[in-house]
Amino acid sequence: MDNSTPPITPELVAEYGLKSGEYNSIISLLGRTPTLTELAIFSAMWNEHCSYKSSKKWLRTLPTQAPHIIQGPGENAGVVDIGDGEAIIFKMESHNHPSFIAPYQGAATGVGGILRDIFTMGARPIAVLNMLRFGHPNHPITRHLLADVVRGIGDYGNAFGVPTIGGDTDFDEGYNGNILVNAMAIGYAESNKIFYSKANCANIPIVYLGAKTGRDGIHGASMASAEFTNEKKEHEPNIQIGDPFAGKRLLEACLELMKNNAVIAIQDMGAAGLTCSAVEIGAKSNLGIELNLSAIPCRELSMTAHEIMLSESQERMLMVLRPDKEDEAKAIFKKWELEFVVVGQTIAEQRFIVRYQKKVKANLPIKELSNKAPEYDQLWSLPDLPDAIFTLPPSPDHASALSSLLSSPNMCSRRWIWEQYDYLVMGNTVQPPGGNAAVIKLEGSLKGIAACINVTPRYCKADPLEGGKQAVAEVWRNLTSVGADPLAVTDSLNFGNPERPQIMSEFVQCIKGIGEACRALDFPVVSGNVSLYNETLRKEIPPTPAIGGIGLLPDARISATLALKAETDVILLIGKKGEHLGQSIYLRNIHNQNQGLPPRVNLTLERKNGDFIRHLIRSDLLTAVHDISDGGLIIALAEMAMAGGYGATIALPADIESVPGFLFGEDQARYVVTCKTENLFQIVQKAKAANILLTKLGTVEGTTLNVLDTLTISVAELKKGHEKWFYSYMGENQELPDNLDISQENA
C-alpha cells in the first residue's frame, strides 16, 4: 500500500465533502487510515449526487414495475417494451451547478452525458428534451445564462445529430442564484439486445474507451452535492468540457461493437468518472475490479492517481470485453479514432484495487463502497399550507389580462429557444416543439413516440403533495392530448438542502404525490435523478420535481394537434367548468398575488377523462385537442387559435361561479377539443355513456377570439405579442414579420 500521501486532516476530509461521522465510518470499515486516493474514492461514491444518501429511503416508495417495463431504476436508463421486439430507453439527468458556473459547457455536457446513458445500453438516441429554469428576467445574469445554456444544448445536440424535440422553460426569482438545466434523452433498441453494467465472471479484461482523461470535472460530483457560496469562479475547474463529435464517434463505435457480441458489460463514465463506473460494474456483478492507472490515456502531464480516478472528462466508457474479441474491438475503435486500452480486469475477490506507477493506491471493499454509503433519514414534517380562502381583487379588462399573460416571460412563445435546435434532424419528427407533446415516428414503423416534460413549482411550493401529483398528471394529459398511451416516466428531482427540515418536507411530500399519481395512472417511474443542495447562501430554489414522460402511438400518422383547423368546427370542454384561481398565473401576474392552495388533482377523473380523449382521437372524431393548464381555459383557446390562425366565439355558461374563474381557473383533468359539426352528436352520446362531463362552448370562426359580452381580441395581435417577447428580450428581430407562420400543421 502506498503510504506517501499527505496526512488526512479534518480540513482535508471536509474539503473532500465528507462529514466527520462519515470519515469515522471509513476508518472503522477499513481498520486503518485511508490513503489520499482512497479518501477521494470514498468522497466520490458517498457524496449525495452519487449515493442518494438523503433521498433513497423515499425513492424506494415510487412504483417502478409494470408488465411493459423491462428495466427500472438502477441501470444507466429505464427500458420500456413497446411490442414487436422493440424497446424505448430513456432517462433524465440534472446538470445544474455546472450550468450556473459555466453555462455553455455545463449545458452541453449535460446533453452529452444523458446521450451516453442511452447508447451505453445499446440504444440509438432518437431525441432529446430539456427542462430549464432561470432567474428573474431582469436579474443581471439571466440573459447571459439563458443565451449560453441554449447555445450549449443546441451546439451539442445539433453536432451529435439528434433532434431536440421539446422542453419546458420558465423564469422565477427563486432561481436567481441557482439555475436548473435538466436533460432528457430517448433511444430505440431491439428488446433482446439491451446491454447492462453487470459482468458475469472473473479474469475478464476491462477496457477504457473514448477520449483521453484530463483534469476537467475533478470533484464535480462533490460540487453537485454542496450549496453554492457567492464565488462561482472557485468552482470553474470542476466543469467538464464536451466534444460532440467525439461523442458521436463513440456512439457509432459502441453500437458497432455491440453488434459483434463482444460486450459483456458496459458503463458510462459520468459523475465521479472512472471511480463510479468501475465500482458500479464490480458491485453489480458481485466481483472485484483491479485497475492499472498507468495505462489510462491522459491528455495532461503528471496527473495523480486521485485526479485520474475523479476526472469527469467527457466521452468516455468502461467496458468488460470478451477476451477473444479484443483485436476486433480495438480495430473498430481505431477506425473511429478513439482510445481503446485494456486498463484492468474483473477479479473474484470483492475488492477495488487501484495501482499506479507500480504502487497500490487503493485497496477497498467494493460492495461497501457501493452499498454501504451512509443513509440519512433527514428530519421533516408536514408543511404549513397556505389559507385556501382569499379575496379576489376586482377584475380588470379581461382582454387586456389575456394579452398581458400571453406576452409575459412565462407564458410567451418559446420559439426563440427551439429555433436554436435542430428538431428535424433524422427526419422523423412528426410534431415539433410548441405543441402539447412532441411526437417522433420510429424508423421503418408506423409507431410513434410522444414525449414531454412538465412541473409547476409554484404548486409544489404551496402544497408539495398536490404539486407532485399535478406534475405527473399534466404529463399524462400532454401525452394523451396527442393520442398517445402514456407508458412511463423519468424524473429529475431538484430541491435545496435536505438537511433543512423545510426542504426535506417539500421533497418527501412531492415524492408522495408523484408516487400516488403514478400508481393511479399506471405510469411507473423507470429512471431518474435527484439534485439536492440547489441553493446559494441558504436561499433555496422553489421545489422543482421535473417529470418527463413518454407515450406510444400505434400509428404516428394519427396524432392530434392543438391548432384550430376549420371554420364551423364545434368547440367543447371536457371536464368541469373552471373556478380555481389559487396559485394561478392569473392571480400572480395580473393581481401580483401568490395566494391560496393549488388546484386539487382528482386522479380517478384524470384517468377517466384521459382515456375518453384518446378514444375520441383514435375514432377520428376530433379535429384539435389541447389540455388546460397554466392560465386556464382562455389561454388554451388562445394557443389553439394562434396555432391554427382561426378565431373562435364562445359563450359564458349560465352556471359559472365567476367570469375570472371560468376563463383563467386552473382546475385539473380538463381539455378543450374541437370537432366537425356532423360528429357532435356521436361525441355527446359517447360522453353520456362514459359519464364524462362535456360542455359545448362555441364555434371556430373569424379572426378574433370572442367571449360574448366579455372580451374580443384579434388573434393576429395576440400572436404578435406572444411571439415577440423572447426575441425582444434576446435583442433579436424585435419587429417580427407579419406573415410569421407558427402553425403546427406545417411541421
Side-chain angles (χ1 to χ4, degrees), residues 1-3 290-295 305 353-362:
M1 179 69 66
D2 178 26
N3 294 315
E290 187 171 4
L291 294 179
N292 174 21
L293 300 190
S294 298
I353 301 171
V354 178
R355 290 186 171 89
Y356 188 45
Q357 298 173 347
K358 299 182 179 179
K359 294 180 179 179
V360 175
K361 293 290 185 176

Side-chain angles (χ1 to χ4, degrees), residues 53 177 205-206 248 275 284 287 303 327 353 385 391 395 407 428 455 500 537 548 568 572 582 589 621 656 690 746:
K53 56 192 176 186
I206 295 175
K248 174 66 171 176
T275 291
K284 288 178 183 177
L287 295 168
M303 290 189 68
D327 290 342
I353 301 171
L385 302 182
T391 301
S395 300
S407 60
N428 293 321
V455 63
R500 296 166 58 193
L537 299 176
T568 74
L572 305 171
N589 284 30
L621 292 174
I656 61 173
N746 292 320

Side-chain angles (χ1 to χ4, degrees), residues 33 69 74 97 182 185 203 236 288 332 418 429 470 478 483 490 497 529 542 557 621 654 659 727 739:
T33 300
I69 302 305
H97 282 42
N182 294 179
N203 304 314
E236 286 187 355
I332 290 172
W418 51 265
T429 304
Q470 192 274 340
N478 290 158
T490 182
N497 185 344
N529 165 75
R557 297 171 300 179
L621 292 174
V659 173
Y727 290 91
N739 62 348

Side-chain angles (χ1 to χ4, degrees), residues 20-315:
S20 59
E22 293 171 346
Y23 179 65
N24 291 336
S25 296
I26 293 170
I27 293 177
S28 177
L29 183 65
L30 299 181
R32 58 176 172 80
T33 300
T35 67
L36 180 62
T37 301
E38 290 174 333
L39 184 72
I41 290 170
F42 271 106
S43 78
M45 293 305 301
W46 285 14
N47 65 54
E48 188 74 57
H49 193 70
C50 293
S51 73
Y52 294 87
K53 56 192 176 186
S54 295
S55 60
K56 55 188 173 184
K57 170 183 176 178
W58 300 104
L59 297 178
R60 295 188 190 104
T61 68
L62 293 173
T64 60
Q65 297 180 339
H68 61 285
I69 302 305
I70 296 174
Q71 175 65 54
E75 270 291 342
N76 287 289
V79 185
V80 178
D81 191 336
I82 59 169
D84 304 310
E86 298 175 310
I88 293 298
I89 294 86
F90 75 115
K91 187 183 182 182
M92 182 159 50
E93 280 272 10
S94 64
H95 228 223
N96 302 332
H97 282 42
S99 299
F100 186 58
I101 297 163
Y104 177 82
Q105 288 295 347
T109 53
V111 174
I114 198 65
L115 287 169
R116 288 196 304 279
D117 282 338
I118 300 305
F119 70 78
T120 299
M121 300 197 71
R124 179 169 291 279
I126 57 176
V128 292
L129 301 90
N130 54 72
M131 191 284 295
L132 310 177
R133 288 294 183 272
F134 298 98
H136 193 283
N138 293 335
H139 192 273
I141 63 172
T142 295
R143 186 183 287 106
H144 157 70
L145 291 172
L146 170 63
D148 276 7
V149 163
V150 170
R151 187 165 59 91
I153 291 171
D155 283 359
Y156 202 102
N158 296 351
F160 192 92
V162 62
T164 301
I165 60 171
D168 182 50
T169 302
D170 268 341
F171 301 88
D172 187 279
E173 64 181 4
Y175 305 101
N176 283 351
N178 200 126
I179 67 171
L180 301 183
V181 175
N182 294 179
M184 173 176 163
I186 304 169
Y188 167 85
E190 295 178 41
S191 57
N192 64 345
K193 295 180 181 178
I194 308 299
F195 289 82
Y196 300 95
S197 56
K198 183 178 179 180
N200 53 16
C201 56
N203 304 314
I204 303 297
I206 295 175
V207 183
Y208 173 109
L209 307 170
K212 286 181 167 64
T213 293
R215 289 190 171 93
D216 46 325
I218 294 173
H219 294 301
S222 297
M223 177 195 68
S225 305
E227 299 176 25
F228 276 143
T229 65
N230 57 0
E231 295 295 330
K232 291 203 302 175
K233 291 291 183 183
E234 69 187 30
H235 294 294
E236 286 187 355
N238 303 132
I239 305 304
Q240 309 96 319
I241 308 298
D243 180 350
F245 299 105
K248 174 66 171 176
R249 298 199 310 274
L250 183 60
L251 159 71
E252 300 298 344
C254 285
L255 294 185
E256 183 176 347
L257 186 59
M258 289 167 172
K259 290 179 182 177
N260 295 343
N261 195 30
V263 179
I264 295 174
I266 186 168
Q267 179 71 43
D268 165 44
M269 287 194 216
L274 182 60
T275 291
C276 195
S277 57
V279 171
E280 287 187 3
I281 288 175
K284 288 178 183 177
S285 307
N286 293 317
L287 295 168
I289 299 289
E290 187 171 4
L291 294 179
N292 174 21
L293 300 190
S294 298
I296 300 289
C298 296
R299 66 169 187 263
E300 298 184 45
L301 297 175
S302 304
M303 290 189 68
T304 64
H306 80 275
E307 287 177 330
I308 294 172
M309 292 304 297
L310 295 187
S311 169
E312 293 183 6
S313 294
Q314 298 292 286
E315 289 81 44

